[in-house]
Amino acid sequence: MKITWTLQDGRTHTAEVANGINMMEAAVANDITGVVGECGGSLSCATCHVYVADDWLGKTGEPEDFEDAMLDATEAERKDNSRLSCQIVADDSLDGLHLIVPAP
Ligand code: FES
């Protein structure tokens, strides 16, 4: 599947991501500045925070309770479309997904 990030400087980066890879791993593999993934995807750091583009919110779904609590600890402002990207896993239904990296 393809995923596009809007970067902190406003440019976009699109990459091919294999099914089963989470969006934090995909961002790190693509050197996306601002997505860190300090805890390796174990839901304990909130450094993989991204905003989901509005037209994709229905497909990525809602955060689980623990992710929801962790989203209160993000460095950038939490918004209605905030997610921890390690909790979004690539599959064909997300082909074309658009994520926005929070500004520093
Ligand atoms: S990588 Fe730590 S919460 Fe997502």
Side-chain angles (χ1 to χ4, degrees):
M1 60 163 273
K2 273 195 174 29
I3 171 168
T4 297
W5 291 269
T6 295
L7 307 174
Q8 289 174 328
D9 63 6
R11 291 179 303 134
T12 59
H13 179 89
T14 299
E16 189 68 39
V17 176
N19 287 353
I21 301 290
N22 73 54
M23 293 302 125
M24 175 277 287
E25 295 169 321
V28 170
N30 283 278
D31 292 324
I32 304 295
T33 300
V35 179
V36 178
E38 213 166 85
C39 74
S42 61
L43 256 190
S44 58
C45 72
T47 63
C48 61
H49 178 209
V50 295
Y51 302 124
V52 176
D54 288 345
D55 47 345
W56 283 94
L57 282 172
K59 292 237 165 103
T60 52
E62 297 287 317
E64 302 287 331
D65 287 351
F66 194 70
E67 181 187 346
D68 187 52
M70 286 296 295
L71 278 165
D72 288 333
T74 55
E75 200 171 305
E77 177 196 0
R78 179 180 182 167
K79 299 182 182 175
D80 288 345
N81 58 345
S82 284
R83 290 294 307 271
L84 295 179
S85 56
C86 65
Q87 300 305 301
I88 302 173
V89 177
D91 70 33
D92 289 337
S93 72
L94 295 179
D95 189 23
L97 178 64
H98 181 190
L99 301 176
I100 299 141
V101 181

